[in-house]
Amino acid sequence: MKATVPITVASLKVACSQCNLVELCLPFGMSENEIDRLDELVGARRKIKRQHHLYRAGDAFEAIYAIRAGSFKTDVLLEDGREQVTGFQMTGEMLGLDGISTELHSCNAIALEDSEVCVIAYGKLEELSRVVEGLQHQFHKVMSREIVRDHGVMTLLGSMRAEERLAAFLLNMSQRFTARGFSAAEFHLRMTREEIGSYLGLKLETVSRAFSKFQEEGLIAVQQKHIRILNIGGLKKLIHHPSPRA
Amino acid sequence: MKATVPITVASLKVACSQCNLVELCLPFGMSENEIDRLDELVGARRKIKRQHHLYRAGDAFEAIYAIRAGSFKTDVLLEDGREQVTGFQMTGEMLGLDGISTELHSCNAIALEDSEVCVIAYGKLEELSRVVEGLQHQFHKVMSREIVRDHGVMTLLGSMRAEERLAAFLLNMSQRFTARGFSAAEFHLRMTREEIGSYLGLKLETVSRAFSKFQEEGLIAVQQKHIRILNIGGLKKLIHHPSPRA
DNA sequence: GAAGTCCGTTGATCCACGTCAACCCCCACG
DNA sequence: CGTGGGGGTTGACGTGGATCAACGGACTTC
């Protein structure tokens, strides 16, 4: 289908004030007045097909991105080919914050499904957040939250065993789906076992075995990427009671 | 000796503009004019004795801190008593950024030696960075750098083996000592083997063994906490060439 | 709708690191 | 100057998760 009507920037724009992600995204906690002023901030939107990059490590940093639809992973590639997934991002979450420090992106952002992001020119964001207090404050919170999240992952990688890691991962996913109005107990993972493994510092076989174990124990029901949580309490208990001793 | 002269806030203050850490700390990259305006930002300084907390997880967040002298570790305690060290901080580095997101600190900051920090009231920082562009920009960079650093640690924890982790740790320390005008090849670690292990996701025995192995191989000379790097290239090679295969 | 590829599961075996234990050294303190 | 205790090293042994391998089922592609 050919677009004969010229597509203007304005027609692509969707005001934050009218976006149903307002509760999850950058505008969270801002007043209506303030949110209205955000509308000048969000330039265009950009669609990213599954498996395609939103940006790559080394790319010049110009904008941060808010996920409007779909989901992403971010990863770092080591020289020897090893991959470390540093995070999975869902709607309303921000991508690209890593680029501010050196003005180059330091990781890859790859769509896990066909997705769409709002492009937020970084210069404009700094400019506007000098005027709109709520934006400034909220942006700082978003960055700080990312730091806290990363510390959580470090804790997971540094001191949990395989099953604790997977349980923590599932609970985290569940909680984020809930925040988006989806079921806490039943959801569809968009990433492969290998990607989960990379994120959790495990091999895909170990992830698969842990899924099977959880299923045997009646904690979850797994069917490929479809997960049903049957016993949330059981998963939670797993995290804070390392299997041996204590 | 008793202070008969009243100690005013002014007398405790040390202007950023006159601080020799200006190249490493928040003011980095700012113009002289801008740095002068910072002087109103740094309230008091605070001394922290070895092993004492600068703040604890759960404390109300009010300020961030720049390390003026000494060094710290940050850690997270799990319910079951496990500890995860999330970072080691040296002079010029910032502490407390984790507190912005929830307005509560999310980790503990503990001095590794008698130390001193500059207290930066967070409200003032936001206020001033609305007016001083360089400050705003630099602050964002500091937060982003922390995110990038955390991704590095995640990569280390998620995909490196014990000796690679320790080599990466030593190179990182060396590089940071260098940036502070100390020797790149010879330095004194302020943390115990257990703290290093916690940070690297290893047990203290494993850290100790890796140190011994490096020494046997002529890569370093270890004497308790005193480290001499004899073969930087060898350590670097270790990181990117996982021992088996490839 | 057939073919090929990717993804996931499961089993057998291996090994890096954890665990347990003994001992030493360094230093703080009386 | 002797004593106690925390920090560090080293050895013997156990084990959780990696590795290697085979296979089956789900998607993708045309």
mmCIF file of all heavy atoms in Angstrom, chain B residues 35-62:
data_model
loop_
_atom_site.group_PDB
_atom_site.id
_atom_site.type_symbol
_atom_site.label_atom_id
_atom_site.label_comp_id
_atom_site.label_asym_id
_atom_site.label_seq_id
_atom_site.Cartn_x
_atom_site.Cartn_y
_atom_site.Cartn_z
ATOM 1 N N ILE B 35 32.354 26.401 37.678
ATOM 2 C CA ILE B 35 32.889 25.768 38.881
ATOM 3 C C ILE B 35 32.770 26.704 40.081
ATOM 4 O O ILE B 35 32.464 26.270 41.196
ATOM 5 C CB ILE B 35 34.359 25.330 38.659
ATOM 6 C CG1 ILE B 35 34.390 24.212 37.611
ATOM 7 C CG2 ILE B 35 34.975 24.829 39.964
ATOM 8 C CD1 ILE B 35 35.773 23.713 37.277
ATOM 9 N N ASP B 36 32.974 27.993 39.832
ATOM 10 C CA ASP B 36 32.817 28.943 40.931
ATOM 11 C C ASP B 36 31.424 28.851 41.535
ATOM 12 O O ASP B 36 31.249 28.962 42.746
ATOM 13 C CB ASP B 36 33.067 30.379 40.444
ATOM 14 C CG ASP B 36 34.562 30.631 40.214
ATOM 15 O OD1 ASP B 36 35.373 29.846 40.758
ATOM 16 O OD2 ASP B 36 34.897 31.580 39.496
ATOM 17 N N ARG B 37 30.456 28.622 40.695
ATOM 18 C CA ARG B 37 29.090 28.566 41.204
ATOM 19 C C ARG B 37 28.832 27.288 41.994
ATOM 20 O O ARG B 37 27.880 27.194 42.758
ATOM 21 C CB ARG B 37 28.102 28.675 40.043
ATOM 22 C CG ARG B 37 28.404 29.900 39.178
ATOM 23 C CD ARG B 37 27.262 30.264 38.297
ATOM 24 N NE ARG B 37 26.020 30.428 39.052
ATOM 25 C CZ ARG B 37 24.882 30.811 38.487
ATOM 26 N NH1 ARG B 37 24.850 31.074 37.191
ATOM 27 N NH2 ARG B 37 23.795 30.939 39.198
ATOM 28 N N LEU B 38 29.670 26.303 41.776
ATOM 29 C CA LEU B 38 29.528 25.051 42.522
ATOM 30 C C LEU B 38 29.798 25.250 44.002
ATOM 31 O O LEU B 38 29.309 24.497 44.840
ATOM 32 C CB LEU B 38 30.543 24.011 42.027
ATOM 33 C CG LEU B 38 30.183 23.165 40.835
ATOM 34 C CD1 LEU B 38 31.151 22.001 40.756
ATOM 35 C CD2 LEU B 38 28.761 22.663 40.953
ATOM 36 N N ASP B 39 30.607 26.264 44.286
ATOM 37 C CA ASP B 39 31.043 26.396 45.670
ATOM 38 C C ASP B 39 29.879 26.550 46.631
ATOM 39 O O ASP B 39 29.960 26.155 47.795
ATOM 40 C CB ASP B 39 32.043 27.550 45.806
ATOM 41 C CG ASP B 39 33.328 27.247 45.019
ATOM 42 O OD1 ASP B 39 33.495 26.079 44.627
ATOM 43 O OD2 ASP B 39 34.130 28.162 44.814
ATOM 44 N N GLU B 40 28.780 27.097 46.122
ATOM 45 C CA GLU B 40 27.610 27.224 46.983
ATOM 46 C C GLU B 40 26.903 25.872 47.189
ATOM 47 O O GLU B 40 26.076 25.706 48.072
ATOM 48 C CB GLU B 40 26.616 28.230 46.383
ATOM 49 C CG GLU B 40 26.121 27.834 44.999
ATOM 50 C CD GLU B 40 25.304 28.955 44.332
ATOM 51 O OE1 GLU B 40 24.077 28.991 44.563
ATOM 52 O OE2 GLU B 40 25.889 29.783 43.597
ATOM 53 N N LEU B 41 27.273 24.930 46.332
ATOM 54 C CA LEU B 41 26.576 23.647 46.344
ATOM 55 C C LEU B 41 27.101 22.715 47.439
ATOM 56 O O LEU B 41 26.323 22.029 48.115
ATOM 57 C CB LEU B 41 26.765 22.974 44.980
ATOM 58 C CG LEU B 41 26.010 21.679 44.741
ATOM 59 C CD1 LEU B 41 24.522 21.891 44.900
ATOM 60 C CD2 LEU B 41 26.318 21.154 43.346
ATOM 61 N N VAL B 42 28.393 22.694 47.564
ATOM 62 C CA VAL B 42 28.987 21.767 48.521
ATOM 63 C C VAL B 42 28.857 22.331 49.924
ATOM 64 O O VAL B 42 29.522 23.304 50.273
ATOM 65 C CB VAL B 42 30.469 21.515 48.186
ATOM 66 C CG1 VAL B 42 31.088 20.610 49.226
ATOM 67 C CG2 VAL B 42 30.589 20.919 46.798
ATOM 68 N N GLY B 43 27.987 21.752 50.683
ATOM 69 C CA GLY B 43 27.721 22.255 52.024
ATOM 70 C C GLY B 43 28.895 21.983 52.934
ATOM 71 O O GLY B 43 29.932 22.640 52.854
ATOM 72 N N ALA B 44 28.762 21.000 53.763
ATOM 73 C CA ALA B 44 29.836 20.698 54.693
ATOM 74 C C ALA B 44 30.639 19.529 54.157
ATOM 75 O O ALA B 44 30.294 18.907 53.155
ATOM 76 C CB ALA B 44 29.258 20.346 56.050
ATOM 77 N N ARG B 45 31.699 19.242 54.851
ATOM 78 C CA ARG B 45 32.385 17.981 54.622
ATOM 79 C C ARG B 45 32.131 17.105 55.831
ATOM 80 O O ARG B 45 31.744 17.584 56.900
ATOM 81 C CB ARG B 45 33.872 18.225 54.436
ATOM 82 C CG ARG B 45 34.142 18.891 53.098
ATOM 83 C CD ARG B 45 35.588 18.784 52.731
ATOM 84 N NE ARG B 45 36.316 19.969 53.119
ATOM 85 C CZ ARG B 45 37.579 19.927 53.519
ATOM 86 N NH1 ARG B 45 38.210 18.762 53.650
ATOM 87 N NH2 ARG B 45 38.208 21.042 53.853
ATOM 88 N N ARG B 46 32.336 15.831 55.616
ATOM 89 C CA ARG B 46 32.053 14.911 56.706
ATOM 90 C C ARG B 46 33.143 13.859 56.751
ATOM 91 O O ARG B 46 33.500 13.285 55.719
ATOM 92 C CB ARG B 46 30.686 14.264 56.433
ATOM 93 C CG ARG B 46 30.076 13.621 57.652
ATOM 94 C CD ARG B 46 28.642 13.203 57.352
ATOM 95 N NE ARG B 46 28.393 11.888 57.869
ATOM 96 C CZ ARG B 46 27.387 11.101 57.497
ATOM 97 N NH1 ARG B 46 26.522 11.512 56.576
ATOM 98 N NH2 ARG B 46 27.226 9.918 58.037
ATOM 99 N N LYS B 47 33.646 13.611 57.953
ATOM 100 C CA LYS B 47 34.681 12.587 58.108
ATOM 101 C C LYS B 47 34.026 11.271 58.519
ATOM 102 O O LYS B 47 33.140 11.259 59.364
ATOM 103 C CB LYS B 47 35.692 13.007 59.180
ATOM 104 C CG LYS B 47 36.651 14.106 58.754
ATOM 105 C CD LYS B 47 37.670 14.369 59.862
ATOM 106 C CE LYS B 47 38.397 15.691 59.673
ATOM 107 N NZ LYS B 47 39.290 15.734 58.502
ATOM 108 N N ILE B 48 34.471 10.204 57.937
ATOM 109 C CA ILE B 48 33.951 8.873 58.268
ATOM 110 C C ILE B 48 35.121 7.982 58.643
ATOM 111 O O ILE B 48 36.059 7.826 57.863
ATOM 112 C CB ILE B 48 33.240 8.229 57.051
ATOM 113 C CG1 ILE B 48 32.270 9.215 56.394
ATOM 114 C CG2 ILE B 48 32.547 6.945 57.442
ATOM 115 C CD1 ILE B 48 31.037 9.451 57.186
ATOM 116 N N LYS B 49 35.027 7.407 59.823
ATOM 117 C CA LYS B 49 36.119 6.529 60.266
ATOM 118 C C LYS B 49 36.024 5.185 59.553
ATOM 119 O O LYS B 49 34.957 4.744 59.157
ATOM 120 C CB LYS B 49 36.016 6.298 61.784
ATOM 121 C CG LYS B 49 36.519 7.452 62.620
ATOM 122 C CD LYS B 49 37.302 6.915 63.851
ATOM 123 C CE LYS B 49 38.212 7.966 64.438
ATOM 124 N NZ LYS B 49 39.194 8.530 63.474
ATOM 125 N N ARG B 50 37.168 4.548 59.473
ATOM 126 C CA ARG B 50 37.252 3.194 58.897
ATOM 127 C C ARG B 50 36.166 2.287 59.475
ATOM 128 O O ARG B 50 35.929 2.298 60.689
ATOM 129 C CB ARG B 50 38.632 2.639 59.261
ATOM 130 C CG ARG B 50 38.971 1.312 58.657
ATOM 131 C CD ARG B 50 40.438 1.010 58.982
ATOM 132 N NE ARG B 50 40.572 -0.273 59.654
ATOM 133 C CZ ARG B 50 40.668 -1.432 58.996
ATOM 134 N NH1 ARG B 50 40.660 -1.447 57.672
ATOM 135 N NH2 ARG B 50 40.784 -2.569 59.655
ATOM 136 N N GLN B 51 35.523 1.566 58.606
ATOM 137 C CA GLN B 51 34.492 0.579 58.971
ATOM 138 C C GLN B 51 33.161 1.219 59.363
ATOM 139 O O GLN B 51 32.216 0.508 59.689
ATOM 140 C CB GLN B 51 34.938 -0.335 60.131
ATOM 141 C CG GLN B 51 36.175 -1.154 59.838
ATOM 142 C CD GLN B 51 35.904 -2.312 58.903
ATOM 143 O OE1 GLN B 51 34.998 -2.238 58.061
ATOM 144 N NE2 GLN B 51 36.654 -3.384 59.016
ATOM 145 N N HIS B 52 33.082 2.545 59.338
ATOM 146 C CA HIS B 52 31.819 3.203 59.673
ATOM 147 C C HIS B 52 31.005 3.452 58.415
ATOM 148 O O HIS B 52 31.525 3.557 57.314
ATOM 149 C CB HIS B 52 32.085 4.511 60.426
ATOM 150 C CG HIS B 52 32.517 4.289 61.847
ATOM 151 N ND1 HIS B 52 31.991 4.965 62.915
ATOM 152 C CD2 HIS B 52 33.414 3.420 62.377
ATOM 153 C CE1 HIS B 52 32.547 4.549 64.031
ATOM 154 N NE2 HIS B 52 33.422 3.610 63.742
ATOM 155 N N HIS B 53 29.693 3.560 58.622
ATOM 156 C CA HIS B 53 28.789 3.777 57.500
ATOM 157 C C HIS B 53 28.662 5.259 57.167
ATOM 158 O O HIS B 53 28.513 6.084 58.063
ATOM 159 C CB HIS B 53 27.395 3.251 57.842
ATOM 160 C CG HIS B 53 27.278 1.768 57.776
ATOM 161 N ND1 HIS B 53 27.840 0.925 58.705
ATOM 162 C CD2 HIS B 53 26.663 0.956 56.873
ATOM 163 C CE1 HIS B 53 27.580 -0.336 58.389
ATOM 164 N NE2 HIS B 53 26.862 -0.343 57.283
ATOM 165 N N LEU B 54 28.679 5.569 55.903
ATOM 166 C CA LEU B 54 28.318 6.911 55.444
ATOM 167 C C LEU B 54 26.792 6.990 55.388
ATOM 168 O O LEU B 54 26.183 7.968 55.786
ATOM 169 C CB LEU B 54 28.934 7.176 54.064
ATOM 170 C CG LEU B 54 28.492 8.428 53.339
ATOM 171 C CD1 LEU B 54 28.789 9.678 54.168
ATOM 172 C CD2 LEU B 54 29.187 8.530 51.984
ATOM 173 N N TYR B 55 26.186 5.937 54.886
ATOM 174 C CA TYR B 55 24.733 5.778 54.961
ATOM 175 C C TYR B 55 24.414 4.296 54.893
ATOM 176 O O TYR B 55 25.284 3.484 54.551
ATOM 177 C CB TYR B 55 23.998 6.547 53.844
ATOM 178 C CG TYR B 55 24.432 6.200 52.436
ATOM 179 C CD1 TYR B 55 23.975 5.053 51.802
ATOM 180 C CD2 TYR B 55 25.304 7.026 51.735
ATOM 181 C CE1 TYR B 55 24.368 4.742 50.521
ATOM 182 C CE2 TYR B 55 25.718 6.715 50.446
ATOM 183 C CZ TYR B 55 25.241 5.575 49.846
ATOM 184 O OH TYR B 55 25.642 5.251 48.566
ATOM 185 N N ARG B 56 23.179 3.973 55.252
ATOM 186 C CA ARG B 56 22.747 2.581 55.266
ATOM 187 C C ARG B 56 21.539 2.389 54.350
ATOM 188 O O ARG B 56 20.777 3.329 54.132
ATOM 189 C CB ARG B 56 22.303 2.177 56.678
ATOM 190 C CG ARG B 56 23.453 1.996 57.639
ATOM 191 C CD ARG B 56 22.936 1.920 59.068
ATOM 192 N NE ARG B 56 24.020 2.064 60.024
ATOM 193 C CZ ARG B 56 24.801 1.060 60.425
ATOM 194 N NH1 ARG B 56 24.592 -0.158 59.982
ATOM 195 N NH2 ARG B 56 25.775 1.277 61.271
ATOM 196 N N ALA B 57 21.373 1.179 53.854
ATOM 197 C CA ALA B 57 20.188 0.859 53.069
ATOM 198 C C ALA B 57 18.963 1.195 53.919
ATOM 199 O O ALA B 57 18.895 0.821 55.089
ATOM 200 C CB ALA B 57 20.191 -0.610 52.693
ATOM 201 N N GLY B 58 18.029 1.928 53.338
ATOM 202 C CA GLY B 58 16.820 2.290 54.062
ATOM 203 C C GLY B 58 16.862 3.715 54.602
ATOM 204 O O GLY B 58 15.813 4.294 54.875
ATOM 205 N N ASP B 59 18.041 4.285 54.761
ATOM 206 C CA ASP B 59 18.148 5.682 55.196
ATOM 207 C C ASP B 59 17.461 6.606 54.199
ATOM 208 O O ASP B 59 17.482 6.354 52.995
ATOM 209 C CB ASP B 59 19.629 6.113 55.273
ATOM 210 C CG ASP B 59 20.341 5.568 56.506
ATOM 211 O OD1 ASP B 59 19.669 4.892 57.323
ATOM 212 O OD2 ASP B 59 21.549 5.812 56.639
ATOM 213 N N ALA B 60 16.872 7.671 54.722
ATOM 214 C CA ALA B 60 16.286 8.680 53.835
ATOM 215 C C ALA B 60 17.394 9.289 52.977
ATOM 216 O O ALA B 60 18.499 9.540 53.461
ATOM 217 C CB ALA B 60 15.599 9.763 54.655
ATOM 218 N N PHE B 61 17.056 9.511 51.739
ATOM 219 C CA PHE B 61 18.027 10.097 50.818
ATOM 220 C C PHE B 61 17.918 11.608 50.825
ATOM 221 O O PHE B 61 16.853 12.152 50.593
ATOM 222 C CB PHE B 61 17.780 9.577 49.403
ATOM 223 C CG PHE B 61 18.514 10.338 48.348
ATOM 224 C CD1 PHE B 61 19.879 10.161 48.188
ATOM 225 C CD2 PHE B 61 17.851 11.230 47.529
ATOM 226 C CE1 PHE B 61 20.573 10.869 47.213
ATOM 227 C CE2 PHE B 61 18.540 11.937 46.548
ATOM 228 C CZ PHE B 61 19.899 11.753 46.393
ATOM 229 N N GLU B 62 19.009 12.262 51.106
ATOM 230 C CA GLU B 62 18.990 13.728 51.109
ATOM 231 C C GLU B 62 20.138 14.338 50.332
ATOM 232 O O GLU B 62 20.041 15.459 49.865
ATOM 233 C CB GLU B 62 19.059 14.243 52.559
ATOM 234 C CG GLU B 62 17.727 14.168 53.275
ATOM 235 C CD GLU B 62 17.891 14.013 54.777
ATOM 236 O OE1 GLU B 62 19.003 14.215 55.277
ATOM 237 O OE2 GLU B 62 16.881 13.685 55.445
#
